Amino acid sequence: KQTQIEKGYFTIRSNRQSSRVSFDDLLYIESLADYIKIYRTSGSSITSKEKISHMEKVLPDQFLRIHRSFIVNKSMISSYSREHVIIGEKEIPISRTYRKEVVPKL
Protein backbone atom coordinates (compact mmCIF):
# COMPACT_ATOMS: atom_id res chain seq x y z
CA LYS A 1 0.00 0.00 0.00
CA GLN A 2 2.76 2.46 0.91
CA THR A 3 4.56 1.74 -2.38
CA GLN A 4 1.35 2.47 -4.29
CA ILE A 5 0.96 5.83 -2.54
CA GLU A 6 4.56 6.76 -3.38
CA LYS A 7 3.88 5.89 -7.03
CA GLY A 8 0.72 8.05 -7.08
CA TYR A 9 -2.14 5.56 -7.17
CA PHE A 10 -4.24 3.20 -5.09
CA THR A 11 -6.11 -0.01 -5.86
CA ILE A 12 -9.82 -0.44 -5.14
CA ARG A 13 -12.13 -3.46 -5.48
CA SER A 14 -15.24 -2.94 -7.57
CA ASN A 15 -17.48 -5.46 -9.36
CA ARG A 16 -15.18 -8.33 -8.32
CA GLN A 17 -12.20 -6.62 -10.01
CA SER A 18 -9.34 -4.52 -8.73
CA SER A 19 -9.08 -1.10 -10.34
CA ARG A 20 -6.05 1.16 -10.19
CA VAL A 21 -6.92 4.82 -9.59
CA SER A 22 -4.33 7.55 -10.07
CA PHE A 23 -4.43 10.41 -7.55
CA ASP A 24 -4.28 12.89 -10.46
CA ASP A 25 -7.37 11.25 -12.01
CA LEU A 26 -9.48 11.45 -8.83
CA LEU A 27 -11.85 14.44 -8.49
CA TYR A 28 -13.71 13.49 -5.32
CA ILE A 29 -15.15 10.57 -3.36
CA GLU A 30 -18.77 10.47 -2.23
CA SER A 31 -20.08 8.17 0.49
CA LEU A 32 -23.47 6.63 -0.30
CA ALA A 33 -24.80 4.62 2.67
CA ASP A 34 -22.64 1.45 2.80
CA TYR A 35 -20.50 2.09 -0.28
CA ILE A 36 -18.48 4.87 -1.94
CA LYS A 37 -18.44 6.35 -5.41
CA ILE A 38 -15.14 7.61 -6.83
CA TYR A 39 -15.51 10.34 -9.47
CA ARG A 40 -12.70 10.65 -12.02
CA THR A 41 -11.53 13.37 -14.43
CA SER A 42 -12.43 11.12 -17.37
CA GLY A 43 -16.10 11.43 -16.38
CA SER A 44 -16.34 7.81 -15.30
CA SER A 45 -16.92 6.67 -11.73
CA ILE A 46 -16.14 3.57 -9.67
CA THR A 47 -18.47 2.21 -7.01
CA SER A 48 -16.95 0.15 -4.21
CA LYS A 49 -18.00 -1.38 -0.89
CA GLU A 50 -15.12 0.46 0.84
CA LYS A 51 -15.70 2.87 3.75
CA ILE A 52 -14.98 6.57 3.35
CA SER A 53 -13.14 6.59 6.70
CA HIS A 54 -10.72 3.97 5.35
CA MET A 55 -10.16 6.03 2.19
CA GLU A 56 -9.42 9.09 4.31
CA LYS A 57 -6.60 7.17 6.05
CA VAL A 58 -5.16 5.75 2.81
CA LEU A 59 -5.10 8.94 0.71
CA PRO A 60 -2.19 11.45 0.87
CA ASP A 61 -2.41 15.08 2.07
CA GLN A 62 -3.62 16.42 -1.29
CA PHE A 63 -7.05 14.99 -0.35
CA LEU A 64 -9.27 16.66 2.20
CA ARG A 65 -12.37 15.43 4.05
CA ILE A 66 -14.82 18.33 3.88
CA HIS A 67 -18.04 16.57 4.83
CA ARG A 68 -19.21 13.31 6.38
CA SER A 69 -19.94 12.15 2.83
CA PHE A 70 -17.16 13.81 0.77
CA ILE A 71 -13.40 13.72 0.31
CA VAL A 72 -12.06 16.10 -2.37
CA ASN A 73 -8.81 16.44 -4.31
CA LYS A 74 -7.50 19.92 -3.35
CA SER A 75 -5.75 20.35 -6.70
CA MET A 76 -9.09 19.94 -8.57
CA ILE A 77 -10.94 22.71 -6.67
CA SER A 78 -11.66 25.63 -9.00
CA SER A 79 -13.27 27.86 -6.34
CA TYR A 80 -14.54 27.73 -2.77
CA SER A 81 -16.35 29.61 -0.04
CA ARG A 82 -17.02 28.85 3.64
CA GLU A 83 -20.05 26.74 2.66
CA HIS A 84 -18.90 24.78 -0.43
CA VAL A 85 -16.17 23.94 -2.95
CA ILE A 86 -16.59 23.74 -6.71
CA ILE A 87 -14.96 20.92 -8.67
CA GLY A 88 -15.79 21.06 -12.36
CA GLU A 89 -19.56 21.64 -12.50
CA LYS A 90 -20.25 20.06 -9.09
CA GLU A 91 -20.83 22.12 -5.94
CA ILE A 92 -19.86 20.09 -2.86
CA PRO A 93 -20.91 21.28 0.60
CA ILE A 94 -18.47 21.88 3.46
CA SER A 95 -20.17 20.73 6.67
CA ARG A 96 -20.05 22.79 9.86
CA THR A 97 -18.24 19.93 11.59
CA TYR A 98 -15.27 20.06 9.17
CA ARG A 99 -15.31 23.81 8.36
CA LYS A 100 -12.83 24.94 11.07
CA GLU A 101 -10.09 22.62 9.86
CA VAL A 102 -10.93 22.73 6.12
CA VAL A 103 -11.08 26.46 5.33
CA PRO A 104 -7.48 27.24 6.49
CA LYS A 105 -6.17 24.33 4.35
CA LEU A 106 -7.84 25.72 1.22
Side-chain angles (χ1 to χ4, degrees):
K1 294 261 183 218
Q2 191 61 36
T3 310
Q4 290 180 356
I5 291 171
E6 290 168 7
K7 291 184 178 179
Y9 70 89
F10 65 95
T11 306
I12 191 108
R13 296 269 309 152
S14 174
N15 297 329
R16 297 191 181 125
Q17 298 177 353
S18 290
S19 299
R20 189 182 274 191
V21 180
S22 167
F23 295 142
D24 297 333
D25 187 33
L26 198 153
L27 292 171
Y28 62 95
I29 299 172
E30 181 177 10
S31 174
L32 303 163
D34 59 344
Y35 60 96
I36 60 168
K37 195 164 187 180
I38 299 172
Y39 294 88
R40 302 164 83 172
T41 55
S42 60
S44 65
S45 62
I46 298 172
T47 304
S48 176
K49 199 89 165 124
E50 195 63 69
K51 291 185 176 181
I52 196 164
S53 56
H54 173 73
M55 293 305 300
E56 184 180 18
K57 292 174 189 163
V58 169
L59 293 169
D61 291 340
Q62 87 185 61
F63 295 92
L64 193 58
R65 180 99 179 246
I66 63 167
H67 190 279
R68 186 170 59 97
S69 301
F70 291 100
I71 296 176
V72 298
N73 186 341
K74 289 194 288 189
S75 63
M76 298 294 180
I77 296 172
S78 54
S79 64
Y80 67 92
S81 70
R82 286 179 41 80
E83 288 82 34
H84 64 268
V85 298
I86 306 229
I87 295 180
E89 311 252 322
K90 176 81 171 164
E91 184 176 300
I92 303 170
I94 299 174
S95 70
R96 284 179 284 163
T97 308
Y98 289 93
R99 190 172 296 149
K100 285 184 181 133
E101 56 188 79
V102 166
V103 173
K105 292 179 181 177
L106 295 174

